[in-house]
Amino acid sequence: MNILKTLQSIENNELLKTFKELYGTDEAQLEYQRQRYLSAVNNFAKLYPKRKNIRIFSAPGRTEIGGNHTDHQNGCVLAAAVNLDVIAVVAFHQDGVIRIKSEGYEPFTVKLSDVSTQSGKTGTAAIVCGIAAKFMDMGVEIGGFDLYCTSDVLCGSGISSSAAFETLIGTIIDSYYNDNKAGAVEIAKIGQFAENVYFGKNSGLMDQMVSSVGGLVFIDFSDTEQPKVEGFSCDFEEYGYCLCITDTKSSHADLTDDYTAIINEMENIAKHFGKSHLRFVNELLFYNEIPKLRETCSDRAIIRATHFFEENNRAKFEASALKDGNFEYFLELVRQSGRSSEAYLQNHYSCSDPENQAITLAVMLSRRFLGNSGAVRVHGGGFAGTIQAFVPVGLVDDYINEMNRIFGEKSCTKMKIRPIGGVEITKE
């Protein structure tokens, strides 16, 4: 589609139906998205004036609802794509390069002739190299493209901006150069590969999978090559609750060791039983073996393993509760999850920086505000970042104001589940 026609289609609300699917029906939100897309197309045109035909893609952030630190142990998670996304305006060509400009960041170029791990690329450029390399290994011939993107999935917000970007790039390549043959699950695995091998972050697969697949999903990672993905629908507001995420504005810097320690400690427990991950360890045998485990593993590792066993089962129960319409039981499970992460997983703050406990503070204040209603828990990796709360609809404005009072304006965001994952918005 040429640029002028694309602008006209946006201005004339020809994308309104799609916008409502992605972002909800709030009029102010829809107008915001309309202006956002117009701005993105115009910015692309200024950056790449020689490109005439464009396409627009979108990939959502995600929220982890159940299964805190279970995915990297081949466990189960309950998660959802949300109505915050990264969008890209793209023009394809045969120049043999990928040129990317992200709003707020310096542009960079990836040469498709040099996408190995020795290319010298770091950060986001390394991720693009990894995704392109994986598709090329699959036999996909990539000519190249120019891209301008803008994101509402803020870095460090706990909604997984990196997975959204990886899904975006994977969706773009799969759509144009691979006739959508890879599909959402494979795109997620390609994104994880790029993050693990090229970016150097030993992440699980949950973030990429939810962003790519979309909707509310229960995922069983027992077999990471063929994860079981079950999607279903649930509107929290029909039960009288809103999903809110609060960014405590605490820094993720220097927390790699804290995240890695959780994985290493859980895997050390698994190795005692001759297994690679805790998912394959018999839970009853684990409890029987605790005296022997203490000879070679730390007490914290044992306690964190206990969190895994309980949380893995809890994610299954949460999914069943939502499917059965038993929302009160679901909320109780969320409360249990929050307490387990706090006491057993111990990922509310870093032991190396005990004076800074923004997550614990936010959870405490939320519990005080909610009383016996709703539920609150740490969100995502923990140690810094965000919390998640299910807040009664009638209290949500006051709750947002209270969180913003403590952590700063726009810290707390009300979210909706987005039913669609990585997607092409417009075509030629």
Side-chain angles (χ1 to χ4, degrees), residues 189-424:
K189 291 192 285 187
I190 291 170
Q192 184 200 26
F193 164 82
E195 189 163 306
N196 290 174
V197 177
Y198 279 72
F199 188 72
K201 182 179 179 181
N202 187 23
S203 65
L205 185 57
M206 178 189 71
D207 294 351
Q208 294 86 353
M209 189 66 72
V210 178
S211 179
S212 188
V213 172
L216 179 64
V217 290
F218 174 77
I219 309 174
D220 185 336
F221 288 112
S222 179
D223 180 357
T224 54
E225 290 300 313
Q226 297 293 331
K228 297 177 182 176
V229 182
E230 180 186 1
F232 56 98
S233 61
C234 178
D235 186 343
F236 299 136
E237 293 188 26
E238 288 185 1
Y239 293 98
Y241 287 87
C242 288
L243 171 63
C244 294
I245 301 292
T246 299
D247 181 0
T248 66
K249 308 294 179 67
S250 45
S251 174
H252 286 81
D254 301 321
L255 292 176
T256 300
D257 290 345
D258 292 290
Y259 298 130
T260 302
I262 291 178
I263 298 173
N264 290 342
E265 289 177 10
M266 288 185 176
E267 290 181 354
N268 285 339
I269 298 291
K271 288 176 183 176
H272 174 88
F273 298 95
K275 305 296 183 181
S276 59
H277 298 90
L278 283 176
R279 177 62 181 275
F280 310 118
V281 174
N282 181 279
E283 184 176 355
L284 181 59
L285 183 60
F286 161 76
Y287 285 108
N288 289 338
E289 285 282 296
I290 286 179
K292 290 184 179 180
L293 280 168
R294 295 190 72 200
E295 296 175 6
T296 57
C297 299
S298 68
D299 288 343
R300 187 176 71 173
I302 294 169
I303 294 167
R304 282 176 162 170
T306 298
H307 165 83
F308 169 81
F309 289 117
E310 294 185 357
E311 185 76 353
N312 193 55
N313 288 325
R314 195 155 35 232
K316 301 175 189 177
F317 297 148
E318 286 173 336
S320 295
L322 289 179
K323 285 186 285 188
D324 293 342
N326 191 345
F327 203 78
E328 286 304 317
Y329 180 46
F330 166 75
L331 289 176
E332 174 54 30
L333 291 167
V334 174
R335 296 183 197 109
Q336 291 177 18
S337 175
R339 290 191 290 267
S340 180
S341 291
E342 186 174 13
Y344 296 168
L345 185 61
Q346 301 175 41
N347 69 334
H348 276 208
Y349 64 92
S350 173
C351 292
S352 64
D353 189 18
E355 293 185 357
N356 292 309
Q357 299 190 28
I359 294 292
T360 308
L361 177 63
V363 168
M364 179 273 291
L365 291 168
S366 296
R367 287 174 178 162
R368 181 174 180 272
F369 181 94
L370 294 171
N372 295 323
S373 64
V376 62
R377 65 192 282 275
V378 67
H379 181 254
F383 299 109
T386 60
I387 66 163
Q388 176 188 86
F390 290 89
V391 182
V393 170
L395 298 176
V396 69
D397 289 340
D398 289 340
Y399 177 79
I400 290 173
N401 289 335
E402 176 65 2
M403 291 296 101
N404 288 344
R405 182 179 74 88
I406 303 298
F407 298 104
E409 285 302 311
K410 298 183 180 180
S411 296
C412 187
T413 304
K414 182 175 71 172
M415 296 187 178
K416 286 183 174 290
I417 294 174
R418 163 170 156 160
I420 302 170
V423 66
E424 182 172 354

Side-chain angles (χ1 to χ4, degrees), residues 28-318:
Q29 176 63 212
L30 292 171
E31 177 59 22
Y32 163 75
Q33 294 298 339
R34 193 171 74 93
Q35 296 300 326
R36 179 184 178 220
Y37 275 71
L38 288 170
S39 176
V41 174
N42 282 317
N43 285 337
F44 176 92
K46 293 175 185 177
L47 284 168
Y48 310 109
K50 294 182 179 180
R51 304 302 179 192
K52 304 303 179 184
N53 293 321
I54 61 170
R55 298 190 181 190
I56 303 178
F57 294 80
S58 163
R62 68 93 186 102
T63 179
E64 167 206 290
I65 294 172
N68 194 214
H69 279 278
T70 53
D71 62 324
H72 54 68
Q73 295 302 304
N74 291 76
C76 299
V77 299
L78 177 66
V82 296
N83 57 340
L84 299 179
D85 67 346
V86 53
I87 62 172
V89 182
V90 184
F92 297 92
H93 49 65
Q94 295 297 320
D95 294 356
V97 298
I98 296 173
R99 303 182 185 93
I100 292 181
K101 166 60 179 173
S102 297
E103 184 179 19
Y105 298 89
E106 289 298 312
F108 64 86
T109 299
V110 168
K111 294 182 179 179
L112 293 171
S113 60
D114 186 15
V115 292
S116 72
T117 53
Q118 285 77 45
S119 66
K121 298 295 185 182
T122 59
T124 304
I127 286 175
V128 175
C129 281
I131 295 171
K134 193 66 173 177
F135 272 105
M136 292 163 74
D137 287 345
M138 294 162 53
V140 178
E141 295 183 7
I142 306 172
F145 52 86
D146 296 339
L147 178 152
Y148 173 83
C149 67
T150 180
S151 179
D152 280 347
V153 191
L154 301 177
C155 289
S157 65
I159 315 300
S160 198
S161 58
S162 59
F165 181 79
E166 290 155 13
T167 296
L168 182 76
I169 300 301
T171 301
I172 289 168
I173 294 174
D174 191 44
S175 175
Y176 189 82
Y177 288 111
N178 197 37
D179 197 28
N180 293 307
K181 292 177 183 176
V185 172
E186 193 62 32
I187 287 171
K189 291 192 285 187
I190 291 170
Q192 184 200 26
F193 164 82
E195 189 163 306
N196 290 174
V197 177
Y198 279 72
F199 188 72
K201 182 179 179 181
N202 187 23
S203 65
L205 185 57
M206 178 189 71
D207 294 351
Q208 294 86 353
M209 189 66 72
V210 178
S211 179
S212 188
V213 172
L216 179 64
V217 290
F218 174 77
I219 309 174
D220 185 336
F221 288 112
S222 179
D223 180 357
T224 54
E225 290 300 313
Q226 297 293 331
K228 297 177 182 176
V229 182
E230 180 186 1
F232 56 98
S233 61
C234 178
D235 186 343
F236 299 136
E237 293 188 26
E238 288 185 1
Y239 293 98
Y241 287 87
C242 288
L243 171 63
C244 294
I245 301 292
T246 299
D247 181 0
T248 66
K249 308 294 179 67
S250 45
S251 174
H252 286 81
D254 301 321
L255 292 176
T256 300
D257 290 345
D258 292 290
Y259 298 130
T260 302
I262 291 178
I263 298 173
N264 290 342
E265 289 177 10
M266 288 185 176
E267 290 181 354
N268 285 339
I269 298 291
K271 288 176 183 176
H272 174 88
F273 298 95
K275 305 296 183 181
S276 59
H277 298 90
L278 283 176
R279 177 62 181 275
F280 310 118
V281 174
N282 181 279
E283 184 176 355
L284 181 59
L285 183 60
F286 161 76
Y287 285 108
N288 289 338
E289 285 282 296
I290 286 179
K292 290 184 179 180
L293 280 168
R294 295 190 72 200
E295 296 175 6
T296 57
C297 299
S298 68
D299 288 343
R300 187 176 71 173
I302 294 169
I303 294 167
R304 282 176 162 170
T306 298
H307 165 83
F308 169 81
F309 289 117
E310 294 185 357
E311 185 76 353
N312 193 55
N313 288 325
R314 195 155 35 232
K316 301 175 189 177
F317 297 148
E318 286 173 336

